[in-house]
Amino acid sequence: MPGERLADCSISDLVREATQGDQRAWREIVDRHAGLVWSVVRSHRLPDPDAGDAFQTTWLRLVESLHRLRQPDQLSAWLVTTARRECLRLIKRRDREIPDADALDAGTAVHNGGTQLLGVSERPVDAPDAALLRRERNHELLDAYRRLPARCQSLLRLYLADPPLSYQEIAELLDVPVGSVGPNRSRCLNHLRKLLGGPNDAHDVEGGR
Amino acid sequence: MDDLTAADRALLADLRDAFQQLDPPPPHLLHAAHTSLDWMNADAILAELVADSAATGAPALRAAAPPRVLTFDAEGTTLVVEIVTVARVGEPAAGRRVIGQVLPAGDANVEIRTAYGAAVQVRADGHGRFRATEVPAGPLAFSCQFDDPTRTPFVTGWTTDQG
């Protein structure tokens, strides 16, 4: 990897280097996947100390397993599975309720061809004074999100994971049929819109925020 | 074929923004993740936290903070640690005393790490017992390397700080 930019390295290369003790490669692995692992942990709606425990344990498990990772290119999937297992272990340990995933309406199956869930949105660069407004808006949005039913919170958090999860992965994490992911996502978004207090078309869809 | 409406897309983009801005992975957890390669050496295994008195007790009912007792399991080896916060006048939570035992017992080097790099090294005696004083506040992690080379060394994850 000498002379090569870390950002250009494949996951397999990074895993190989990290296995040999390369700290920079390890940090790059963490930085690329931290958001994903955090999304999976957050989707289980654990209290903060448990969420922190599940997050860090996932990385320690990875160090432990690094040298026998059979398919380094499947690292995302490995991390998702491991993070989920740690969350379930903590839920069991503290005897808490699991997010009510079974209550997710199976709905009617829809055809979801792609695995990429959401295109990158084209957003104009905000003017400096817009930053404060956006922050305020984000707080309102997150407040509303936290009033959603548990199953909607889990679904939306997983749906927006970065790097993204496939419908199949989301369905497995929530233990629901893959065909229910799309319809439930739409239902949850409508619910969120109601909590935000506006009619469906109140949101400026032209991107002129 | 995705069935997202334009309004759905916009709301999702906003929600993604809100998550990224207001609920990203916390910096102290990222820091712990960055240092975990350094913390776990190649032949060590990860000990699992199996019991935590802070998770089950009702400390709010007591006047003085009770000691926190943590139990870890590393494939049959048990580590029990008791953390006692030592408060002094004008210097609350000046330091902590950590008393522990590894079972089955064995002579070992035990390292107690604190969240930002400082480490305390102590010896576990023939009964597996060890003791450390003046351990700074914040999350802790433990590692144990036995004198007996046939016993597998282990490390623990960071304890979460629960006051």
Side-chain angles (χ1 to χ4, degrees), chain A residues 4-194:
Chain A
E4 209 176 335
R5 283 176 58 233
L6 276 177
D8 299 332
C9 289
S10 72
I11 290 297
S12 300
D13 289 342
L14 291 170
V15 168
R16 196 183 54 243
E17 296 299 323
T19 307
Q20 288 159 21
D22 186 318
Q23 298 286 343
R24 285 173 60 241
W26 170 255
R27 286 180 68 105
E28 179 72 16
I29 291 172
V30 171
D31 288 343
R32 282 194 203 178
H33 299 90
L36 173 65
V37 172
W38 189 241
S39 295
V40 172
V41 169
R42 278 309 207 198
S43 78
H44 288 82
R45 303 181 323 110
L46 301 163
D48 282 353
D50 282 3
D53 197 10
F55 182 83
Q56 62 148 341
T57 303
T58 301
W59 298 107
L60 287 166
R61 291 255 175 250
L62 178 58
V63 176
E64 197 180 36
S65 307
L66 210 49
H67 61 284
R68 49 192 150 88
L69 215 58
R70 290 216 186 85
Q71 293 170 291
D73 53 319
Q74 300 282 304
L75 182 62
S76 289
W78 190 95
L79 285 167
V80 168
T81 308
T82 304
R84 170 165 177 73
R85 198 187 305 130
E86 290 305 324
C87 289
L88 293 180
R89 183 176 67 80
L90 288 167
I91 288 166
K92 206 170 160 189
R93 175 157 73 84
R94 297 210 177 181
D95 196 28
R96 287 209 191 84
E97 273 188 11
I98 305 175
D100 194 8
D102 291 342
L104 264 178
D105 184 1
T108 47
V110 290
H111 299 287
N112 301 310
T115 54
Q116 193 76 13
L117 292 171
L118 194 69
V120 178
S121 61
E122 293 262 339
R123 320 208 60 189
V125 179
D126 291 307
D129 56 80
L132 205 70
L133 281 173
R134 252 186 60 199
R135 200 175 166 79
E136 203 170 305
R137 257 186 64 91
N138 281 342
H139 273 293
E140 278 169 27
L141 190 52
L142 218 55
D143 283 347
Y145 163 82
R146 287 180 179 137
R147 295 202 305 274
L148 283 171
R151 60 186 191 280
C152 279
Q153 291 186 37
S154 301
L155 174 62
L156 292 177
R157 187 81 211 212
L158 291 173
Y159 190 82
L160 291 173
D162 180 32
L165 294 162
S166 67
Y167 274 56
Q168 185 67 47
E169 285 174 308
I170 293 174
E172 281 168 16
L173 282 163
L174 296 173
D175 201 18
V176 297
V178 67
S180 76
V181 174
N184 277 311
R185 176 213 52 215
S186 299
R187 226 164 282 153
C188 292
L189 286 173
N190 284 334
H191 195 154
L192 180 59
R193 227 170 258 126
K194 276 187 202 126

Side-chain angles (χ1 to χ4, degrees), chain A residues 18 21-23 26-27 30-31 34-35 38 42 49 52-53 55-57 59-61 63-64 66-67 89 93-94 111-113 117-118 121 123 134-135 137-139 141-142 145-146 156-157 159-160 162 167 182 185-186 189 192-193 196 200 203 205 209, chain B residues 1-26 28-30 32-42 44-52 54-56 75 155-162:
Chain A
D22 186 318
Q23 298 286 343
W26 170 255
R27 286 180 68 105
V30 171
D31 288 343
W38 189 241
R42 278 309 207 198
D53 197 10
F55 182 83
Q56 62 148 341
T57 303
W59 298 107
L60 287 166
R61 291 255 175 250
V63 176
E64 197 180 36
L66 210 49
H67 61 284
R89 183 176 67 80
R93 175 157 73 84
R94 297 210 177 181
H111 299 287
N112 301 310
L117 292 171
L118 194 69
S121 61
R123 320 208 60 189
R134 252 186 60 199
R135 200 175 166 79
R137 257 186 64 91
N138 281 342
H139 273 293
L141 190 52
L142 218 55
Y145 163 82
R146 287 180 179 137
L156 292 177
R157 187 81 211 212
Y159 190 82
L160 291 173
D162 180 32
Y167 274 56
R185 176 213 52 215
S186 299
L189 286 173
L192 180 59
R193 227 170 258 126
L196 285 165
N200 276 11
H203 200 86
V205 297
R209 281 178 294 276
Chain B
M1 215 5 235
D2 216 330
D3 55 346
L4 282 167
T5 65
D8 282 349
R9 281 179 207 284
L11 185 54
L12 281 166
D14 286 351
L15 191 57
R16 173 192 301 248
D17 243 29
F19 286 146
Q20 283 174 354
Q21 192 183 43
L22 301 175
D23 189 25
H28 71 281
L29 292 178
L30 262 185
H34 283 150
T35 57
S36 47
L37 183 64
D38 172 48
W39 175 231
M40 276 202 76
N41 63 53
I45 55 169
L46 182 64
E48 211 163 77
L49 180 64
V50 290
D52 179 354
T56 52
E75 295 178 7
V155 305
T156 74
W158 295 97
T159 63
T160 44
D161 220 8
Q162 299 187 338

